[in-house]
Amino acid sequence: MADDLFKALADPTRRTILDELTEKSGQTLFEICARLSMRHQLGISRQGVSQHLAVLEAAGLVRTRREGRYKFHDLDTVPLRQITERWPVPDTSEPEESPL
């Protein structure tokens, strides 16, 4: 699971897609392509975006659902939480003790 997750996050276009789904979850492929083109000036084909979405879905970061002939893409942050549980960030609110 972790390998797929890190592979998915390694690509800047996929991170941009995740940013867009964070702002507005439940987008169709057409909506995602339009937002990437208009907001980020990414000249990427629908097939290219679809392949990026497949990688994100395989990593568990995107869930899809069908309603009629439309397929909607939703962000799923559960895999990201699994990373923070595996490598918790230490509490830095208390001063560290210096070794003598």
Side-chain angles (χ1 to χ4, degrees):
M1 187 269 325
D3 290 342
D4 288 342
L5 180 61
F6 289 119
K7 176 186 172 187
L9 293 173
D11 186 89
T13 301
R14 288 193 282 269
R15 290 193 304 268
T16 302
I17 292 170
L18 292 175
D19 291 341
E20 287 300 322
L21 290 175
T22 298
E23 190 171 311
K24 181 180 182 264
S25 198
Q27 295 184 61
T28 64
L29 176 61
F30 176 80
E31 290 173 303
I32 294 169
C33 289
R35 290 172 74 104
L36 292 176
S37 175
M38 297 184 72
R39 297 181 81 195
H40 303 281
Q41 291 74 45
L42 291 177
I44 186 169
S45 68
R46 287 173 56 101
Q47 182 180 4
V49 174
S50 182
Q51 290 172 348
H52 282 300
L53 286 167
V55 171
L56 292 168
E57 190 172 4
L61 292 167
V62 170
R63 301 273 180 232
T64 59
R65 58 187 161 82
R66 287 203 175 270
E67 291 181 23
R69 56 182 232 189
Y70 296 101
K71 184 177 181 181
F72 296 93
H73 301 84
D74 297 293
L75 177 66
D76 187 348
T77 58
V78 170
L80 297 175
R81 282 187 242 133
Q82 291 172 348
I83 289 175
T84 61
E85 290 170 2
R86 182 172 178 177
W87 294 296
V89 177
D91 181 14
T92 59
S93 61
E94 297 179 22
E96 292 184 30
E97 295 180 25
S98 58
L100 298 175

